[in-house]
Coordinates of all heavy atoms in Angstrom, one line a residue:
M193 N -24.9 -1.1 4.7 CA -23.6 -0.6 4.3 C -22.9 0.2 5.5 O -21.7 0.1 5.6 CB -23.7 0.3 3.1 CG -22.4 0.8 2.5 SD -21.2 -0.5 2.1 CE -21.7 -0.9 0.5
K194 N -23.8 0.9 6.3 CA -23.2 1.6 7.4 C -22.5 0.7 8.4 O -21.4 1.0 8.9 CB -24.3 2.3 8.1 CG -24.9 3.5 7.4 CD -26.0 4.2 8.2 CE -26.7 5.2 7.4 NZ -27.8 5.9 8.2
Y195 N -23.1 -0.5 8.6 CA -22.5 -1.4 9.6 C -21.2 -2.0 9.0 O -20.3 -2.2 9.8 CB -23.5 -2.6 9.9 CG -24.8 -2.0 10.5 CD1 -26.0 -2.2 9.9 CD2 -24.7 -1.4 11.8 CE1 -27.2 -1.7 10.5 CE2 -25.9 -0.9 12.4 CZ -27.1 -1.0 11.7 OH -28.2 -0.6 12.3
L196 N -21.1 -2.2 7.7 CA -19.9 -2.7 7.1 C -18.8 -1.7 7.3 O -17.6 -2.1 7.7 CB -20.1 -3.0 5.6 CG -18.9 -3.5 4.9 CD1 -18.5 -4.9 5.3 CD2 -19.1 -3.4 3.4
V197 N -19.1 -0.4 7.1 CA -18.1 0.6 7.3 C -17.6 0.7 8.7 O -16.4 0.9 9.0 CB -18.6 1.9 6.7 CG1 -17.6 3.1 7.0 CG2 -18.8 1.8 5.2
I198 N -18.6 0.6 9.6 CA -18.3 0.7 11.1 C -17.4 -0.4 11.5 O -16.4 -0.2 12.2 CB -19.6 0.8 11.9 CG1 -20.3 2.1 11.7 CG2 -19.3 0.5 13.4 CD1 -21.7 2.1 12.3
V199 N -17.7 -1.7 11.0 CA -16.9 -2.8 11.4 C -15.5 -2.7 10.8 O -14.5 -3.0 11.4 CB -17.6 -4.1 10.9 CG1 -16.6 -5.3 11.0 CG2 -18.8 -4.4 11.7
A200 N -15.4 -2.2 9.5 CA -14.1 -2.0 8.9 C -13.3 -1.0 9.7 O -12.1 -1.2 9.9 CB -14.3 -1.5 7.4
F201 N -13.9 0.2 10.1 CA -13.1 1.1 10.9 C -12.6 0.6 12.2 O -11.5 0.9 12.6 CB -13.9 2.4 11.1 CG -13.9 3.4 9.9 CD1 -15.0 3.9 9.4 CD2 -12.7 3.7 9.3 CE1 -15.0 4.8 8.3 CE2 -12.6 4.6 8.3 CZ -13.8 5.1 7.7
V202 N -13.5 -0.2 12.8 CA -13.1 -0.8 14.1 C -11.9 -1.8 13.9 O -10.9 -1.8 14.7 CB -14.3 -1.6 14.8 CG1 -13.8 -2.5 15.9 CG2 -15.3 -0.6 15.2
A203 N -11.9 -2.6 12.8 CA -10.8 -3.5 12.5 C -9.5 -2.7 12.2 O -8.4 -3.1 12.6 CB -11.2 -4.4 11.3
I204 N -9.7 -1.6 11.5 CA -8.5 -0.7 11.1 C -7.9 -0.1 12.4 O -6.7 -0.2 12.6 CB -8.9 0.4 10.1 CG1 -9.2 -0.3 8.8 CG2 -7.8 1.4 10.0 CD1 -9.9 0.7 7.8
I205 N -8.7 0.4 13.3 CA -8.2 1.0 14.5 C -7.7 -0.1 15.4 O -6.6 0.1 16.1 CB -9.4 1.8 15.2 CG1 -9.8 2.9 14.4 CG2 -8.9 2.2 16.6 CD1 -8.8 4.0 14.1
G206 N -8.3 -1.3 15.4 CA -7.8 -2.4 16.2 C -6.4 -2.8 15.8 O -5.5 -3.1 16.6
S207 N -6.2 -2.9 14.5 CA -4.9 -3.4 14.0 C -3.8 -2.3 14.2 O -2.7 -2.6 14.5 CB -4.9 -3.7 12.5 OG -5.2 -2.6 11.7
L208 N -4.3 -1.0 14.2 CA -3.3 0.1 14.5 C -2.9 0.0 16.0 O -1.8 0.2 16.4 CB -4.0 1.4 14.2 CG -3.1 2.6 14.2 CD1 -1.9 2.5 13.2 CD2 -3.9 3.9 13.9
A209 N -3.9 -0.3 16.9 CA -3.6 -0.5 18.3 C -2.7 -1.7 18.5 O -1.8 -1.6 19.4 CB -4.9 -0.6 19.1
A210 N -2.9 -2.7 17.8 CA -2.1 -3.9 17.9 C -0.6 -3.6 17.5 O 0.3 -4.0 18.2 CB -2.6 -5.1 17.1
A211 N -0.5 -2.8 16.4 CA 0.9 -2.4 16.0 C 1.5 -1.6 17.0 O 2.7 -1.7 17.3 CB 0.8 -1.7 14.7
L212 N 0.8 -0.7 17.7 CA 1.3 0.1 18.7 C 1.8 -0.7 19.9 O 2.9 -0.5 20.5 CB 0.3 1.2 19.2 CG 0.7 2.0 20.4 CD1 1.9 2.9 20.0 CD2 -0.4 2.9 20.9
Y213 N 1.0 -1.7 20.3 CA 1.3 -2.6 21.4 C 2.6 -3.4 21.1 O 3.5 -3.4 21.9 CB 0.2 -3.6 21.6 CG 0.5 -4.7 22.6 CD1 0.5 -4.4 23.9 CD2 0.7 -6.0 22.1 CE1 0.8 -5.4 24.8 CE2 1.0 -7.0 23.0 CZ 1.1 -6.7 24.4 OH 1.4 -7.7 25.3
F214 N 2.7 -3.9 19.8 CA 3.9 -4.7 19.5 C 5.1 -3.7 19.4 O 6.2 -4.1 19.7 CB 3.7 -5.4 18.2 CG 2.7 -6.6 18.3 CD1 1.6 -6.7 17.5 CD2 2.9 -7.5 19.3 CE1 0.7 -7.7 17.6 CE2 2.0 -8.6 19.4 CZ 0.9 -8.7 18.6
M215 N 4.9 -2.5 19.0 CA 6.0 -1.5 18.9 C 6.5 -1.2 20.3 O 7.7 -1.2 20.6 CB 5.6 -0.3 18.2 CG 6.7 0.7 18.1 SD 6.2 2.3 17.3 CE 5.2 3.0 18.5
M216 N 5.6 -1.0 21.2 CA 6.0 -0.7 22.6 C 6.7 -1.9 23.3 O 7.5 -1.7 24.2 CB 4.8 -0.3 23.4 CG 4.1 1.0 22.9 SD 5.3 2.4 22.7 CE 5.5 2.8 24.4
R217 N 6.3 -3.1 22.9 CA 7.0 -4.3 23.5 C 8.4 -4.4 22.9 O 9.2 -5.1 23.5 CB 6.2 -5.5 23.2 CG 5.0 -5.7 24.1 CD 4.3 -7.0 23.8 NE 5.2 -8.1 23.9 CZ 4.9 -9.3 23.4 NH1 3.8 -9.5 22.8 NH2 5.7 -10.3 23.6
G218 N 8.7 -3.8 21.8 CA 10.0 -3.8 21.2 C 10.4 -5.1 20.6 O 11.5 -5.5 20.5
G219 N 9.4 -5.9 20.1 CA 9.7 -7.1 19.4 C 9.9 -8.3 20.4 O 10.2 -9.4 19.9
R220 N 9.7 -8.1 21.7 CA 9.9 -9.2 22.6 C 8.7 -10.1 22.6 O 7.6 -9.6 22.5 CB 10.2 -8.6 24.0 CG 11.5 -7.9 24.2 CD 11.7 -7.5 25.6 NE 10.6 -6.7 26.2 CZ 10.6 -5.4 26.1 NH1 11.5 -4.7 25.4 NH2 9.6 -4.7 26.6
S221 N 9.0 -11.3 22.7 CA 7.9 -12.3 22.8 C 8.1 -13.3 23.9 O 9.3 -13.7 24.2 CB 7.9 -13.1 21.5 OG 6.9 -14.1 21.5
S222 N 7.1 -13.6 24.7 CA 7.3 -14.4 25.9 C 7.6 -15.8 25.5 O 8.3 -16.5 26.3 CB 6.0 -14.4 26.7 OG 4.9 -14.9 25.9
D223 N 7.2 -16.3 24.3 CA 7.5 -17.7 23.9 C 8.8 -17.8 23.1 O 9.1 -18.9 22.6 CB 6.3 -18.3 23.2 CG 5.9 -17.6 22.0 OD1 6.4 -16.5 21.8 OD2 5.2 -18.1 21.2
A224 N 9.5 -16.7 22.9 CA 10.7 -16.7 22.0 C 11.9 -17.2 22.8 O 12.1 -16.9 24.0 CB 10.9 -15.4 21.5
E225 N 12.8 -17.9 22.2 CA 14.0 -18.3 22.7 C 15.0 -17.2 22.6 O 15.1 -16.5 21.6 CB 14.6 -19.5 22.0 CG 13.7 -20.8 22.1 CD 13.8 -21.4 23.5 OE1 14.8 -21.3 24.1 OE2 12.7 -21.9 23.9
E226 N 15.8 -16.9 23.7 CA 16.7 -15.9 23.7 C 18.1 -16.4 23.2 O 18.4 -17.6 23.4 CB 16.9 -15.2 25.1 CG 15.7 -14.5 25.5 CD 15.9 -13.7 26.8 OE1 17.1 -13.6 27.2 OE2 15.0 -13.1 27.3
D227 N 18.9 -15.6 22.6 CA 20.2 -16.0 22.2 C 21.2 -15.9 23.3 O 20.8 -15.4 24.4 CB 20.7 -15.2 20.9 CG 20.9 -13.7 21.2 OD1 20.6 -13.3 22.3 OD2 21.3 -13.0 20.3
P228 N 22.4 -16.3 23.2 CA 23.4 -16.3 24.3 C 23.6 -14.9 24.9 O 24.0 -14.7 26.0 CB 24.6 -16.9 23.7 CG 24.2 -17.7 22.6 CD 23.0 -17.0 22.1
Q229 N 23.5 -13.8 24.0 CA 23.8 -12.5 24.5 C 22.6 -11.9 25.3 O 22.6 -10.8 25.8 CB 24.1 -11.5 23.4 CG 25.5 -11.7 22.8 CD 25.6 -12.9 21.8 OE1 24.5 -13.2 21.2 NE2 26.7 -13.4 21.6
G230 N 21.4 -12.6 25.3 CA 20.2 -12.2 26.0 C 19.3 -11.4 25.2 O 18.2 -11.0 25.7
A231 N 19.5 -11.2 23.9 CA 18.6 -10.4 23.1 C 17.6 -11.3 22.5 O 17.9 -12.4 22.0 CB 19.4 -9.7 21.9
P232 N 16.3 -11.0 22.5 CA 15.3 -11.8 21.9 C 15.3 -11.8 20.4 O 15.8 -10.8 19.8 CB 14.0 -11.2 22.4 CG 14.3 -9.8 22.7 CD 15.7 -9.8 23.1
P233 N 14.9 -12.8 19.8 CA 14.9 -12.8 18.3 C 13.9 -11.8 17.8 O 12.9 -11.5 18.4 CB 14.5 -14.2 17.9 CG 13.7 -14.7 19.1 CD 14.4 -14.1 20.3
P234 N 14.1 -11.2 16.6 CA 13.2 -10.2 16.1 C 11.9 -10.9 15.7 O 11.9 -12.0 15.2 CB 13.9 -9.6 14.9 CG 14.9 -10.6 14.5 CD 15.3 -11.3 15.8
T235 N 10.8 -10.2 15.9 CA 9.5 -10.7 15.5 C 8.9 -9.6 14.5 O 9.3 -8.5 14.5 CB 8.5 -10.9 16.6 OG1 8.4 -9.7 17.3 CG2 9.1 -12.0 17.6
N236 N 8.0 -10.0 13.7 CA 7.4 -9.1 12.7 C 5.9 -8.9 13.0 O 5.2 -8.7 12.0 CB 7.6 -9.7 11.3 CG 7.0 -11.0 11.1 OD1 6.5 -11.6 12.0 ND2 7.0 -11.5 9.8
H237 N 5.5 -9.0 14.2 CA 4.1 -8.8 14.6 C 3.7 -7.3 14.2 O 2.5 -7.2 13.7 CB 3.8 -9.0 16.0 CG 4.1 -10.4 16.4 ND1 3.3 -11.5 16.0 CD2 5.0 -11.0 17.3 CE1 3.7 -12.6 16.5 NE2 4.8 -12.3 17.3
M238 N 4.5 -6.3 14.5 CA 4.1 -5.0 14.2 C 3.9 -4.8 12.7 O 3.0 -4.2 12.2 CB 5.1 -4.0 14.7 CG 4.7 -2.5 14.5 SD 5.9 -1.4 15.1 CE 7.2 -1.5 13.9
A239 N 4.9 -5.3 11.9 CA 4.8 -5.1 10.5 C 3.5 -5.8 9.9 O 2.9 -5.3 9.0 CB 6.0 -5.7 9.8
R240 N 3.2 -7.0 10.5 CA 2.0 -7.7 10.0 C 0.8 -6.9 10.4 O -0.2 -6.8 9.5 CB 2.0 -9.1 10.7 CG 1.0 -10.0 10.1 CD 1.0 -11.4 10.7 NE 2.3 -11.9 10.7 CZ 2.8 -12.6 11.7 NH1 2.1 -12.8 12.8 NH2 4.0 -13.1 11.6
A241 N 0.7 -6.3 11.5 CA -0.5 -5.5 11.9 C -0.6 -4.3 11.1 O -1.7 -4.0 10.6 CB -0.4 -5.2 13.4
L242 N 0.5 -3.6 10.7 CA 0.4 -2.5 9.9 C 0.0 -2.9 8.4 O -0.7 -2.1 7.8 CB 1.7 -1.7 9.9 CG 2.0 -1.0 11.2 CD1 3.4 -0.4 11.2 CD2 0.9 0.1 11.5
A243 N 0.6 -4.0 8.0 CA 0.2 -4.4 6.6 C -1.3 -4.8 6.6 O -2.0 -4.5 5.6 CB 1.0 -5.7 6.2
F244 N -1.8 -5.4 7.6 CA -3.2 -5.7 7.7 C -4.1 -4.4 7.6 O -5.1 -4.3 6.9 CB -3.6 -6.5 8.9 CG -5.0 -6.7 9.1 CD1 -5.7 -7.7 8.4 CD2 -5.8 -5.9 10.0 CE1 -7.0 -8.0 8.6 CE2 -7.1 -6.1 10.1 CZ -7.8 -7.2 9.4
R245 N -3.6 -3.4 8.4 CA -4.3 -2.1 8.4 C -4.3 -1.5 7.0 O -5.4 -1.0 6.5 CB -3.7 -1.1 9.4 CG -4.4 0.2 9.5 CD -3.7 1.2 10.3 NE -2.5 1.6 9.7 CZ -2.4 2.6 8.9 NH1 -3.4 3.3 8.5 NH2 -1.2 3.0 8.4
V246 N -3.2 -1.5 6.3 CA -3.1 -0.9 5.0 C -4.0 -1.6 4.0 O -4.8 -1.1 3.2 CB -1.7 -0.8 4.5 CG1 -1.6 -0.4 3.0 CG2 -0.9 0.2 5.3
G247 N -3.9 -3.0 4.0 CA -4.7 -3.8 3.1 C -6.2 -3.6 3.4 O -7.0 -3.6 2.4
F248 N -6.6 -3.6 4.7 CA -8.0 -3.4 5.0 C -8.5 -2.1 4.6 O -9.6 -1.9 4.1 CB -8.2 -3.7 6.5 CG -9.6 -4.3 6.7 CD1 -9.8 -5.6 6.4 CD2 -10.6 -3.5 7.3 CE1 -11.1 -6.1 6.6 CE2 -11.8 -4.1 7.6 CZ -12.1 -5.4 7.2

Side-chain angles (χ1 to χ4, degrees):
M193 185 55 88
K194 289 180 186 179
Y195 298 116
L196 177 69
V197 172
I198 290 171
V199 169
F201 277 131
V202 168
I204 290 168
I205 297 298
S207 67
L208 192 60
L212 176 66
Y213 172 75
F214 291 126
M215 182 181 70
M216 296 307 285
R217 283 184 54 197
R220 292 185 304 273
S221 177
S222 61
D223 60 347
E225 295 289 328
E226 291 190 6
D227 67 356
Q229 286 82 24
T235 59
N236 61 351
H237 296 295
M238 184 181 75
R240 190 178 310 137
L242 290 175
F244 176 79
R245 183 188 66 87
V246 169
F248 211 72

